[in-house]
Amino acid sequence: MTVHNESDNNSLLNQFIAEIRDITIHTDSLRFRKNLERIGEIIAYEISKTFNYSLSKVQTPLGFSEIPLITDRVVLSPILRAGLPFHQGFLEFFDKAENAFVSAARQYKEDHTNFKIVVEYLSSPSIEGKTLIIIDPMLATAGSLELAYKALLARGIPESIHIACAIASKRGIERTREIFPVEKTTIWAAAIDPELNEKAYIVPGIGDAGDLSFGEKI
């Protein structure tokens, strides 16, 4: 399994990562969502470099031009709800892609510390033989990712899998290696953080991406 940490190379991406981390900006949900979208666009562009291409002839006003175009059949699958603004960045680039939606969320017990992860919703085209991009801004324990992936497998076996996240934990990445077929899976992270706290949040991380995007939930 290949893991890309986009923070290894300095770029404009650093600005967007800094802003989704910054507590002084966290009160502005519009800005937070926009920065997730921008990070999604950058990762989408990087993923596109790994796709298959074939020459396509395009007519211009003065002749013809042969341009390599993507031949992969792409399915974008955000994990609800936090994945929605991140997903928008991918849609801006992969505008012809099919889309799958899966809800895999933490369900906390009364102590607000212990939780289980449940899948409550799935809407997906066939992913058989296609390029699947699973979009989840936070890869913490990989629990949500595991359940979402298993739910999607009811729609077929993809040819290749890309896991896109804004922030990943080292623990989440190691768990992902155990869940996914390593020979055809690639992880793309804007940044990788070292640990999780007692509530399984990524440290230093950003907090709860869903709450920061859409407001706190009960």
Side-chain angles (χ1 to χ4, degrees):
M1 180 181 291
T2 303
V3 178
H4 294 273
N5 182 359
E6 298 303 318
S7 293
D8 284 343
N9 299 307
N10 288 331
S11 71
L12 184 60
L13 176 66
N14 291 352
Q15 178 65 36
F16 307 141
I17 296 172
E19 292 196 9
I20 65 170
R21 290 191 189 272
D22 192 337
I23 60 172
T24 66
I25 297 175
H26 282 181
T27 55
D28 188 343
S29 59
L30 175 62
R31 188 170 176 183
F32 183 85
R33 292 194 302 270
K34 187 62 179 178
N35 280 321
L36 277 183
E37 180 181 336
R38 288 166 166 167
I39 294 170
E41 290 175 347
I42 292 170
I43 294 179
Y45 174 73
E46 293 299 322
I47 291 176
S48 75
K49 297 177 183 179
T50 70
F51 286 171
N52 298 301
Y53 288 77
S54 66
L55 288 176
S56 180
K57 185 178 288 187
V58 177
Q59 185 171 0
T60 78
L62 301 176
F64 291 91
S65 177
E66 287 193 331
I67 301 173
L69 297 180
I70 293 171
T71 58
D72 291 51
R73 297 175 296 160
V74 179
V75 177
L76 305 176
S77 181
I79 299 179
L80 305 179
R81 65 180 170 149
L84 289 174
F86 198 33
H87 172 237
Q88 186 58 43
F90 285 82
L91 277 177
E92 291 295 330
F93 279 28
F94 299 132
D95 52 297
K96 296 181 180 179
E98 295 179 281
N99 292 267
F101 298 89
V102 58
S103 169
R106 295 181 180 187
Q107 192 174 86
Y108 283 91
K109 298 181 179 179
E110 290 183 359
D111 61 7
H112 299 288
T113 299
N114 295 311
F115 62 88
K116 63 179 180 179
I117 298 172
V118 294
V119 172
E120 297 177 329
Y121 178 80
L122 171 66
S123 175
S124 174
S126 169
I127 63 172
E128 184 69 33
K130 298 178 182 178
T131 298
L132 175 65
I133 304 178
I134 303 178
I135 299 164
D136 191 5
M138 307 301 291
L139 176 55
T141 65
S144 297
L145 183 64
E146 178 178 8
L147 290 184
Y149 173 58
K150 288 180 177 178
L152 287 164
L153 288 179
R155 301 296 188 266
I157 305 298
E159 177 70 24
S160 60
I161 304 165
H162 298 272
I163 298 167
C165 48
I167 310 292
S169 74
K170 291 183 178 179
R171 175 177 159 187
I173 290 172
E174 289 309 308
R175 177 59 182 148
T176 301
R177 293 183 191 274
E178 300 171 1
I179 300 165
F180 285 79
V182 295
E183 71 280 358
K184 63 179 182 179
T185 302
T186 305
I187 296 176
W188 303 80
I192 298 174
D193 286 355
E195 59 187 358
L196 303 178
N197 66 12
E198 67 281 359
K199 293 185 178 181
Y201 279 97
I202 300 173
V203 179
I206 61 173
D208 190 303
D211 287 358
L212 291 168
S213 294
F214 303 112
E216 293 184 1
K217 56 189 175 295
I218 296 176

